[in-house]
Amino acid sequence: QVQLVESGGGSVQAGESLRLSCRTSGINFKIHRMGWYRQAPGKQRDFVAAISSDGSTNYTDSVKDRFTISRNNAWNTVYLQMNSLSVEDTAVYYCQTTHKSRNDWGRGTQVPVSS
């Protein structure tokens, strides 16, 4: 059974930093592309960042140069370092992967950013 468990969310002020973690189980983590998505209140869930098994990364434009995705294959964990947070980054952040042609998601972690 695939499990994705996010942690590290919490209330911050604009300009501060936060690091999210997503611990996985039930998959051969090192071969999986991992992603972070976010859903702001009243909006759809949107792509934030992803990291492939070879370490290559991509980001949505609004977080480039502020967010960094990374992975630790020994810990089966993917991270999202978020710097210079703004009110617009307020959302629930979800970890995602695709396993056996199915998208798997964590339950999310909340990141409220106040001005």
Side-chain angles (χ1 to χ4, degrees):
Q1 180 181 359
V2 179
Q3 286 193 319
L4 308 175
V5 181
E6 302 95 339
S7 61
S11 297
V12 295
Q13 290 194 321
E16 294 184 338
S17 298
L18 210 57
R19 189 177 84 152
L20 306 182
S21 301
C22 173
R23 187 81 182 258
T24 73
S25 60
I27 60 172
N28 185 0
F29 178 79
K30 63 183 179 183
I31 68 171
H32 279 267
R33 181 178 184 269
M34 301 298 301
W36 284 98
Y37 288 72
R38 65 186 179 185
Q39 187 167 15
K43 297 189 176 181
Q44 67 181 20
R45 192 173 299 186
D46 291 327
F47 170 78
V48 177
I51 184 167
S52 298
S53 58
D54 65 359
S56 59
T57 59
N58 62 300
Y59 300 88
T60 191
D61 286 346
S62 63
V63 308
K64 283 180 182 176
D65 300 324
R66 297 189 301 122
F67 290 11
T68 303
I69 189 171
S70 61
R71 64 190 299 156
N72 185 323
N73 290 340
W75 287 89
N76 297 332
T77 301
V78 61
Y79 304 96
L80 186 67
Q81 176 67 42
M82 305 186 295
N83 299 330
S84 301
L85 284 161
S86 69
V87 173
E88 289 71 29
D89 296 315
T90 293
V92 178
Y93 285 72
Y94 297 91
C95 181
Q96 179 270 342
T97 193
T98 302
H99 178 65
K100 295 184 179 179
S101 302
R102 187 184 77 181
N103 283 330
D104 288 292
W105 299 88
R107 292 190 173 187
T109 185
Q110 293 200 14
V111 179
V113 184
S114 58
S115 58

